[in-house]
Amino acid sequence: EIPQNSNLHTIKKHAFAGSYIESIFIPPKISKINESAFGDCDSLKIIEISEESELKSFPLSAFDIHSKFIIMIPSSLIKFNHYIDI
């Protein structure tokens, strides 16, 4: 769990890879998520991005795209491409 008031700015490559987390809240100060950060997280079902997010984009490869999950992105930040640009 990453606290909402965390000063963490980057979720690095393989940071949570292979873990058994079921959900994750991406706090506001996270501005970058690297590829494979959540790779092989078969239990991950919900990814929630803060309404105040500083996140600009992240590669789809940050997540295991073979799993079924929901990404909750604030509607004011959504713009899809090969990368998800928000």
Side-chain angles (χ1 to χ4, degrees):
E1 185 174 314
I2 305 171
Q4 185 165 346
N5 62 351
S6 171
N7 286 320
L8 183 66
H9 293 279
T10 301
I11 299 178
K12 294 191 175 193
K13 187 174 183 176
H14 305 294
F16 292 91
S19 69
Y20 295 100
I21 61 172
E22 295 179 5
S23 66
I24 183 97
F25 174 77
I26 308 296
K29 292 189 180 180
I30 299 286
S31 59
K32 183 173 184 179
I33 300 174
N34 287 315
E35 64 184 53
S36 301
F38 297 93
D40 296 323
C41 289
D42 298 333
S43 300
L44 185 60
K45 301 295 179 216
I46 299 174
I47 301 126
E48 182 179 0
I49 299 173
S50 170
E51 291 284 336
E52 297 84 30
S53 179
E54 294 178 13
L55 193 61
K56 300 295 181 218
S57 68
F58 57 87
L60 287 176
S61 63
F63 304 97
D64 183 352
I65 60 171
H66 301 291
S67 297
K68 292 183 180 181
F69 54 84
I70 297 169
I71 301 178
M72 299 168 61
I73 301 173
S75 60
S76 61
L77 303 178
I78 298 177
K79 183 182 5 171
F80 290 97
N81 201 331
H82 181 297
Y83 278 66
I84 297 182
D85 294 324
I86 49 179

